[in-house]
Amino acid sequence: MSLDDLDPLLTQPKRLAALGVLANSKNTEFAFLREVLGLSDSDLSKQMSALTEAGYVTVKKTGRGRDRQTWFKITKDGRSAMQGHVDALNALVAAAPTAPDMVDS
């Protein structure tokens, strides 16, 4: 594996973390995700829009007015992309060479 095996969309830690939460849940509500990730509403919306556009996440809105909630669910493609990205990171770390020690003069 190489750097080319990393998913460019998931090199953004906020997106990778969001997918991690979604992978551990059947459905995840916007407010919960915002709280867990420590993001503002606008930042979370931006990150989730990118994941949705890539087909990694689906969105479902429930309720009306003040009772409206937004729910996210990881897709099969999203789960596969996340696993591939994590595998690539692990392979890069495992294959990292040891640098020669500094020569004392």
Side-chain angles (χ1 to χ4, degrees):
M1 294 223 155
S2 71
L3 290 174
D4 293 335
D5 295 317
L6 295 173
D7 185 322
L9 190 66
L10 299 182
T11 57
Q12 166 54 260
K14 295 172 189 176
R15 293 182 196 140
L16 182 59
L19 277 188
V21 173
L22 296 178
N24 287 322
S25 309
K26 185 174 180 181
N27 294 289
T28 306
E29 203 269 324
F30 184 94
F32 176 82
L33 198 54
R34 179 191 63 215
E35 182 82 19
V36 168
L37 299 177
L39 301 176
S40 66
D41 285 358
S42 62
D43 195 7
L44 180 57
S45 291
K46 178 182 171 184
Q47 304 308 326
M48 298 313 290
S49 289
L51 292 170
T52 301
E53 288 173 19
Y56 292 175
V57 170
T58 59
V59 181
K60 181 178 181 180
K61 297 187 184 269
T62 61
R64 293 188 172 280
R66 293 176 54 120
D67 294 329
R68 187 170 188 116
Q69 291 181 307
T70 302
W71 295 85
F72 299 103
K73 183 175 183 177
I74 192 169
T75 64
K76 187 176 180 179
D77 287 346
R79 193 173 298 279
S80 177
M82 184 187 72
Q83 189 59 59
H85 188 77
V86 169
D87 289 347
L89 286 170
N90 285 330
L92 286 169
V93 170
T98 302
D101 287 334
M102 186 172 83
V103 177
D104 292 327
S105 6

